[in-house]
């Protein structure tokens, strides 16, 4: 079995254990319904023509049934979920609707102070609307012969809820919401979506969180980049959202390096999602893409724009971008030769600003998908700016698959990451290890 198929099998099994559902292809939808790879997207995810002025303002909400929900003495376990749509601002300064979910835990918070809140930024889900993390809470495993969507972030969400920590999950820009394409790894769009999710959760009626509730951020991979960006942007974009701590796992801080690494890997489809996101964020780049992409490349980008992770692993695992370009160069080589593309990716670099609150940055020392060296450099950059950084190199042997090398630290470090955040909620001081960075791998 290929490595990509093995990792997908593990994820599918995990999702199934969490209450996965195999969905048949949708019945004939109404003419105005949005359908992505046979999955009808609920009307909730279509934004209204006009959005509220304030960032984080609720547009709408509704109850969200969790796939795994058990009866308990104090209410359903692990909690009661609410689907959210809220207003945010994209990297061009334009209003955007973002969806997500808030989960009120049944478990009591036993730490000091009011119940804390974690904004969870999902790892790579894909680019099709059916891949949204809020939909994965309802259907952890969606399989219909045309798409495979896996809610692997549900595990971290449920672990946080079990500690009595409230969770709000963002779907990011254009993932779920049907009015735009997901701007994959756009640091500003993602950072804003994370911070505005906190504001949206605070404004929701009937929750146990209060203005005094401590707030933390949690994310791995794409989510690690999103929380890292949010921690940097918080002082200027959301000074009202004071952060107790941020967990950033395997952050794609330098997209130049990440683009090189994912090309030809099991997750090569993410290269297409990245290019699609770049073009969505800056349409002025489209003539450059048109000039360099051949028919196969353009078809791949269109195909990937509606795919989830499972689809991309099966359809594009191991693909090389040399087959997508007119002259056989890699997309990384083309980026380096085009100043407009170089400038755009330079603007996406995380590490140019100092987080104002403690950050725990973890990266697998054998991670060669979201390369360890560029993630470690983010810790170095932040430490040089005087940030409070706890750097955690997750030492695991190379397992022969870039995808598994990237995925393994997500599982092995998750408990420690959650405990680190819980310590921040209990007012325990973070212990920066910036001084030890020179001797840490």
């Amino acid at each position: 079995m290929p490595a990509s198929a093995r990792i997908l099998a593990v994820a599918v099994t995990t999702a199934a254990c969490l209450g996965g559902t195999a969905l048949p292809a949708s019945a004939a939808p109404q003419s105005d319904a949005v359908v992505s790879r046979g999955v009808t997207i609920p009307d909730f995810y279509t934004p209204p023509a006009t959005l509220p002025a304030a960032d984080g303002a609720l547009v709408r909400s509704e109850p969200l049934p969790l796939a795994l929900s058990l009866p308990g003495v104090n209410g359903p376990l692990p909690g009661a979920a609410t689907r959210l749509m809220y207003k945010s601002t994209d990297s061009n300064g334009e209003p955007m609707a973002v969806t997500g979910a808030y989960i009120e835990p049944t478990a009591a918070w036993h730490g000091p102070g009011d119940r804390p809140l974690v904004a969870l930024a999902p790892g790579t889900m894909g680019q099709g609307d059916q891949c949204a993390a809020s939909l994965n809470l309802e259907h952890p495993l969606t399989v219909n012969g045309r798409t495979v969507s896996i809610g692997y972030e549900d595990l971290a969400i449920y672990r946080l809820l079990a500690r009595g920590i409230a969770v709000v999950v963002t779907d990011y820009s254009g993932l779920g919401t049907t009015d735009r394409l997901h701007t994959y790894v756009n640091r500003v769009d993602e950072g804003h979506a994370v911070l505005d999710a906190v504001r949206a959760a605070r404004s929701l009626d009937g929750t146990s969180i209060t203005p005094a509730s401590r707030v933390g951020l949690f994310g791995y991979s794409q989510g690690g980049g999103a929380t890292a960006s949010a921690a940097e942007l918080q002082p200027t974009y959301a000074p009202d959202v004071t952060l107790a701590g941020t967990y950033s796992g395997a952050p794609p801080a330098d997209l130049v390096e990440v683009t090189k690494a994912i090309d030809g890997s099991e997750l090569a489809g993410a290269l297409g999602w990245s290019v699609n996101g770049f073009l969505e964020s800056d349409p002025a780049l489209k003539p450059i893409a048109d000039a360099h992409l051949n028919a196969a490349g353009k078809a791949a980008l269109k195909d990937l724009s509606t795919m989830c992770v499972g689809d991309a692993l099966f359809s594009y695992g191991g693909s090389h971008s040399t087959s997508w370009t007119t002259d056989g160069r890699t997309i990384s080589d083309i980026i380096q030769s085009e100043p407009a593309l170089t400038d755009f990716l330079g603007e996406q670099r995380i590490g140019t600003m100092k987080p104002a609150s403690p950050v725990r940055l973890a990266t697998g020392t054998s991670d060669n998908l979201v390369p360890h060296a560029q993630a470690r450099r983010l810790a170095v950059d932040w430490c040089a700016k005087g940030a409070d950084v706890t750097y955690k190199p997750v030492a695991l042997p190379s397992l022969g698959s870039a995808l598994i090398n990237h995925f393994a630290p997500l599982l092995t470090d998750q408990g420690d990451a959650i405990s680190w955040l819980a310590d921040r909620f209990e007012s325990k001081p973070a212990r920066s290890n910036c001084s030890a960075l020179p001797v840490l791998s």
Side-chain angles (χ1 to χ4, degrees):
M1 181 184 290
S4 59
R6 288 199 303 271
I7 197 72
L8 181 60
V10 172
V12 166
T13 301
T14 301
C17 291
L18 286 172
T21 305
L23 297 180
S26 300
Q30 297 180 354
S31 59
D32 58 348
V34 176
V35 180
S36 183
R37 293 191 175 266
V39 178
T40 300
I41 309 303
D43 291 342
F44 183 96
Y45 290 84
T46 298
T50 303
L51 297 174
D55 289 321
L58 277 174
V59 176
R60 60 175 70 118
S61 64
E62 67 177 19
L64 171 63
L66 294 174
L68 177 59
S69 184
L70 302 174
V73 175
N74 298 317
L77 298 170
T82 302
R83 202 184 321 262
L84 307 174
M85 179 182 285
Y86 57 93
K87 186 261 183 181
S88 190
T89 298
D90 68 17
S91 57
N92 296 313
E94 298 297 323
M96 64 177 179
V98 180
T99 52
Y102 170 81
I103 307 98
E104 173 78 12
T106 303
W109 166 246
H110 295 292
D114 295 335
R115 186 191 298 278
L117 172 68
V118 163
L120 187 139
T124 296
M125 298 283 110
Q127 206 157 42
D129 288 326
Q130 78 278 14
C131 319
S134 62
L135 288 171
N136 284 330
L137 283 165
E138 189 173 1
H139 303 290
L141 173 62
T142 299
V143 181
N144 66 1
R146 298 179 61 186
T147 192
V148 179
S149 181
I150 305 163
Y152 61 86
E153 289 290 9
D154 293 1
L155 177 60
I157 294 168
Y158 279 48
R159 292 179 77 167
L160 288 161
L161 295 172
R163 284 178 172 253
I165 299 169
V167 179
V168 63
V169 184
T170 181
D171 290 333
Y172 301 129
S173 164
L175 193 59
T177 47
T178 58
D179 63 331
R180 62 174 66 202
L181 189 66
H182 174 41
T183 49
Y184 183 68
V185 295
N186 180 309
R187 69 171 181 88
V188 175
D189 286 7
E190 292 180 344
H192 286 182
V194 170
L195 293 167
D196 286 326
V198 174
R199 290 165 160 161
R202 283 175 167 176
S203 66
L204 191 65
D205 291 333
T207 75
S208 60
I209 59 173
T210 74
S213 293
R214 293 183 174 91
V215 176
L217 309 181
F218 187 100
Y220 188 90
S221 192
Q222 180 186 2
T227 58
S229 174
E232 288 189 345
L233 294 169
Q234 177 272 325
T236 53
Y237 181 76
D240 55 306
V241 180
T242 301
L243 298 177
T246 295
Y247 165 62
S248 172
D254 184 345
L255 296 187
V256 173
E257 295 302 317
V258 176
T259 297
K260 294 177 185 176
I262 62 177
D263 200 343
S265 74
E266 297 103 316
L267 199 58
L271 186 57
W273 294 329
S274 300
V275 174
N276 281 335
F278 301 161
L279 301 180
E280 178 76 8
S281 297
D282 188 356
L285 300 176
K286 191 173 186 304
I288 300 175
D290 287 340
H292 289 288
L293 292 173
N294 59 24
K298 292 173 183 177
L301 263 58
K302 182 177 180 181
D303 194 25
L304 282 159
S305 70
T306 58
M307 282 189 169
C308 299
V309 169
D311 315 329
L313 290 175
F314 282 127
S315 298
Y316 291 96
S319 295
H320 293 270
S321 65
T322 51
S323 65
W324 295 354
T325 61
T326 55
D327 58 6
R329 287 189 294 165
T330 65
I331 285 179
S332 293
D333 287 340
I334 290 170
I335 288 171
Q336 292 176 5
S337 70
E338 291 283 355
L341 293 175
T342 302
D343 290 346
F344 182 86
L345 264 67
E347 292 171 359
Q348 301 304 318
R349 177 72 181 273
I350 305 172
T352 63
M353 293 177 283
K354 173 187 172 182
S357 51
V359 179
R360 183 183 190 272
L361 193 158
T363 165
T365 56
S366 296
D367 192 342
N368 53 340
L369 187 72
V370 179
H372 167 68
Q374 61 85 43
R376 183 184 184 281
R377 189 166 69 245
L378 174 58
V380 172
D381 291 343
W382 277 342
C383 286
K385 292 175 171 57
D388 184 346
V389 180
T390 301
Y391 170 68
K392 171 64 176 180
V394 183
L396 295 172
S398 177
L399 299 172
S401 159
L403 187 63
I404 296 176
N405 287 341
H406 177 62
F407 186 77
L410 165 68
L411 299 177
T412 60
D413 186 57
Q414 191 174 85
D416 289 345
I418 291 173
S419 293
W420 182 89
L421 267 183
D423 285 346
R424 306 291 78 73
F425 297 148
E426 294 178 4
S427 299
K428 297 177 182 178
R431 295 182 179 179
S432 172
N433 60 352
C434 283
S435 61
L437 259 177
V439 298
L440 294 175
S441 58

